[in-house]
């Protein structure tokens, strides 16, 4: 897994470095050498003398280098319905928006994915994921459109191929024409995995199996979906324990709480991660820790929908893998993950642990290594170590927003959103001075506006 000696090198010097390795190693002024798509060296002082094939040298004075941010939960299609139902709780919000979401098609999904990915990438995300579960009949190749947008943006990507088979007529929330049959959902998931999933060390595209949630999916789809994912060797993702209403729903329909229900359907394990997990008791947290089931913590979305505060400090203390998620931009209109570092720290300090809940370095770990672990990619990314993939961000810390904060990690997490001078994915620079190098942001702004208006027109005709 070492980089080839003939690979072109990029040398970055004179920056503070937060490696987020097992020892939380930090360097006040040091260097990184990228060789091809790997990190070749990280250390204090200048880069080693005599390096060959140096294509570029970057003087990163005034910057903090960190691993690239890893987003563990999102719904890209929601970029087209931002700013709607702003005073609703989760269930009312879903009821309000599902009729509109049920009208998306392939051009809309592509534009929305472009917008979501561009916003995250320009803010330091190097590994993204999308949980897409709305597949209206006749809507086109939505999975292919989303994956194409990720490839063009240049981020490392996991598509969680979602599904729903419990429509309104079966007691679910989505309209019947926006859900799939059990057999169609399983067949489409398998086809997506076989066409797009790459299991290699430096894979840019991976696929997970991802039935949506207990209140939009049958028990059989949960059970068979888990069996399918494990037969194909991919990870599993769903929503879990997001609201008190969900807990009540599970008790009424299944005679047990969400965690017990998930365990009964094969949905606890180190190959599983769930979004939100806000309403978890001690036994739930112990079950997640015992099975090493991961959690995608989405503080802004949970606050936006008044879902509550997840017990992240207790999860971490128990050994539960936890990463950060933007969640869909209809419940987190900013669409940025770097703001979630600060959000996670502040929101969790409103909980039982108060000022001891999280510190700056724990928040950074959630957004980097924690996310990589949740996605099953901690051996490859999430920390700055020789042999790992060259996914990293240079944050500018010497401007008005941060220059008087002596500790750069504190400045990054507690301060305003820091400018991204450079972001590298797989050794390729995709952001320079806050602008994407791979796609045209202004063109994406226009196309997402146009597709959002088209969707609104179609939805208004029903």
């Amino acid at each position: 897994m070492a980089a080839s000696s003939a690979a072109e090198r990029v040398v970055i010097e004179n920056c503070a470095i937060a490696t987020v390795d097992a020892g939380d190693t930090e360097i006040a002024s040091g260097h990184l050498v990228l060789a091809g798509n790997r990190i070749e060296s990280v250390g204090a002082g200048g880069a080693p003398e005599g390096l060959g094939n140096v294509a570029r040298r970057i003087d990163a004075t005034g910057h903090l280098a960190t691993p690239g941010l890893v987003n563990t939960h999102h719904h890209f299609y929601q970029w087209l319905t931002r700013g709607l139902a702003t005073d609703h709780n989760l269930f009312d919000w879903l009821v309000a928006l599902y009729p509109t979401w049920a009208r998306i098609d392939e051009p809309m999904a592509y534009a929305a994915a472009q917008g979501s990915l561009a916003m995250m990438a320009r803010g330091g995300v190097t590994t993204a994921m999308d949980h897409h579960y709305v597949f209206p009949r006749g809507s086109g190749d939505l999975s292919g459109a989303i994956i194409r947008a990720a490839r063009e943006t240049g981020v490392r990507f996991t598509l969680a191929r979602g599904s729903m088979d419990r429509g309104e007529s079966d007691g679910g929330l989505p309209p019947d024409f926006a859900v799939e049959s059990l057999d169609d959902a399983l067949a489409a998931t398998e086809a997506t995995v076989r066409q797009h999933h790459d299991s290699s060390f430096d894979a840019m595209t991976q696929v997970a199996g991802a039935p949506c949630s207990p209140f939009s999916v049958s028990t059989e789809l949960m059970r068979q979906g888990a069996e399918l994912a494990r037969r194909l060797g991919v990870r599993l993702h769903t929503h879990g324990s997001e609201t008190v209403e969900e807990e009540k729903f599970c008790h009424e329909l299944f005679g047990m709480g969400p965690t017990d229900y998930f365990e009964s359907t094969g949905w606890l394990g180190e190959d599983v991660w769930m979004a939100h997990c806000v309403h978890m008791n001690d036994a739930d947290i112990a079950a997640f820790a015992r099975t090493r089931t991961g959690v995608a913590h989405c503080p802004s979305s949970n606050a936006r929908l008044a879902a509550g505060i997840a017990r992240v400090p207790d999860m971490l203390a128990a050994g539960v893998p936890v990463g950060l998620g933007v969640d869909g931009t209809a419940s987190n209109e900013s669409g940025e993950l770097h703001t979630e570092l600060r959000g996670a720290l502040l929101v969790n300090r409103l909980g039982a642990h108060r000022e001891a809940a999280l510190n700056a370095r724990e928040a950074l770990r959630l957004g980097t290594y924690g996310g990589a672990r949740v996605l099953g990619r901690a051996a490859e990314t999430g920390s700055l170590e020789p042999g790992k993939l060259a996914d990293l961000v240079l944050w500018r810390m010497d401007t008005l927003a941060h220059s008087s904060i002596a500790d750069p990690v504190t400045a990054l997490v507690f301060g305003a959103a820091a400018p991204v001078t450079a972001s590298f994915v797989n050794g390729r620079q995709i952001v320079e001075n806050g602008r994407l190098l791979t796609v045209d942001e202004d063109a994406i702004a226009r196309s997402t506006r146009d597709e959002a208006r088209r969707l609104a027109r179609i939805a208004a005709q029903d």
Side-chain angles (χ1 to χ4, degrees):
M1 288 189 275
S4 167
S5 60
E8 284 194 343
R9 290 182 170 91
V10 174
V11 177
I12 303 169
E13 296 179 292
N14 305 319
C15 55
I17 302 171
T19 67
V20 199
D21 64 8
D24 271 329
T25 303
E26 294 182 15
I27 300 166
S29 180
H31 71 272
L32 298 111
V33 178
L34 316 182
N37 69 347
R38 305 297 174 89
I39 298 171
E40 185 175 64
S41 67
V42 183
E49 297 291 334
L51 291 174
N53 299 321
V54 175
R56 187 177 176 198
R57 288 185 178 271
I58 299 173
D59 180 357
T61 300
H63 288 76
L64 170 68
T66 72
L69 301 183
V70 178
N71 182 39
T72 61
H73 186 65
H74 211 315
H75 308 296
F76 290 174
Y77 72 90
Q78 291 181 14
W79 189 266
L80 304 184
T81 57
R82 294 192 296 165
L84 304 178
T86 55
D87 301 315
H88 293 51
N89 66 26
L90 175 69
F91 269 51
D92 292 343
W93 176 83
L94 290 171
V95 170
L97 293 179
Y98 261 134
T100 298
W101 294 339
R103 299 302 181 184
I104 63 170
D105 58 23
E106 186 174 335
M108 293 176 192
Y110 174 68
Q114 284 188 307
S116 297
L117 287 157
M119 199 68 193
M120 283 189 294
R122 69 200 293 272
V125 168
T126 57
T127 298
M129 69 81 64
D130 181 32
H131 184 192
H132 188 88
Y133 51 83
V134 182
F135 291 90
R137 293 165 198 161
S139 56
D141 181 11
L142 304 188
S143 294
I146 295 163
I147 289 170
R148 176 162 53 95
R151 185 178 300 118
E152 290 168 354
T153 307
V155 299
R156 209 173 296 282
F157 182 58
T158 295
L159 174 69
R161 202 292 178 182
S163 52
M164 300 185 292
D165 69 341
R166 188 194 296 276
E168 285 179 311
S169 62
D170 293 323
L173 294 177
D176 286 347
F177 63 82
V179 304
E180 300 171 286
S181 70
L182 169 66
D183 290 341
D184 286 348
L186 293 171
T189 300
E190 180 164 4
T192 303
V193 172
R194 294 195 181 282
Q195 181 176 357
H196 295 292
H197 180 70
D198 181 356
S199 60
S200 63
F201 183 87
D202 56 359
M204 292 297 290
T205 304
Q206 295 196 334
V207 178
C212 182
S213 63
F215 47 84
S216 58
V217 170
S218 68
T219 296
E220 204 53 38
L221 180 51
M222 291 296 293
R223 183 175 292 114
Q224 291 192 39
E227 293 170 355
L228 173 66
R230 291 187 172 118
R231 175 167 60 82
L232 297 175
V234 298
R235 297 180 73 74
L236 300 85
H237 181 57
T238 192
H239 296 88
S241 301
E242 186 173 0
T243 64
V244 291
E245 291 85 359
E246 178 188 333
E247 185 168 2
K248 180 181 178 183
F249 177 93
C250 287
H251 277 287
E252 289 177 350
L253 198 64
F254 311 124
M256 65 187 86
T259 299
D260 290 337
Y261 174 66
F262 287 132
E263 187 154 34
S264 75
T265 56
W267 273 81
L268 293 184
E270 59 185 339
D271 55 354
V272 179
W273 85 103
M274 296 190 195
H276 304 299
C277 299
V278 174
H279 297 279
M280 302 263 284
N281 60 32
D282 289 347
D284 297 329
I285 291 174
F288 271 55
R290 169 175 50 82
T291 57
R292 296 189 293 280
T293 303
V295 171
H297 176 44
C298 305
S300 291
S301 177
N302 293 342
R304 160 55 153 99
L305 297 173
I309 302 171
R311 295 174 58 188
V312 170
D314 295 327
M315 294 179 194
L316 294 174
V320 176
V322 182
L324 293 181
V326 170
D327 203 6
T329 49
S331 65
N332 179 2
E333 275 75 4
S334 78
E336 297 176 300
L337 189 68
H338 60 312
T339 57
E340 300 303 294
L341 301 175
R342 187 172 191 263
L345 184 145
L346 296 181
V347 166
N348 281 282
R349 288 189 177 189
L350 294 174
H353 295 273
R354 301 182 65 181
E355 71 276 6
L358 288 176
N359 62 38
R361 282 154 179 83
E362 289 166 336
L364 179 59
R365 179 170 287 274
L366 288 178
T368 53
Y369 184 85
R373 185 182 177 198
V374 162
L375 295 184
R377 306 206 68 174
E380 303 140 52
T381 191
S383 61
L384 301 179
E385 302 179 73
K388 281 200 164 186
L389 294 168
D391 298 354
L392 65 141
V393 179
L394 292 177
W395 309 90
R396 188 172 178 188
M397 311 306 294
D398 62 357
T399 69
L400 173 65
H402 304 93
S403 62
S404 61
I405 304 176
D407 173 23
V409 176
T410 295
L412 179 68
V413 175
F414 277 83
V420 174
T421 293
S423 182
F424 291 84
V425 182
N426 216 41
R428 175 194 184 195
Q429 187 173 352
I430 67 166
V431 176
E432 184 168 19
N433 295 324
R435 295 286 293 185
L436 287 161
L437 299 174
T438 51
V439 292
D440 184 337
E441 295 179 32
D442 297 330
I444 292 172
R446 291 190 295 271
S447 67
T448 55
R449 177 198 59 204
D450 292 346
E451 292 298 332
R453 290 175 176 174
R454 185 167 71 89
L455 175 59
R457 286 196 302 270
I458 294 171
Q461 294 169 3
D462 293 336

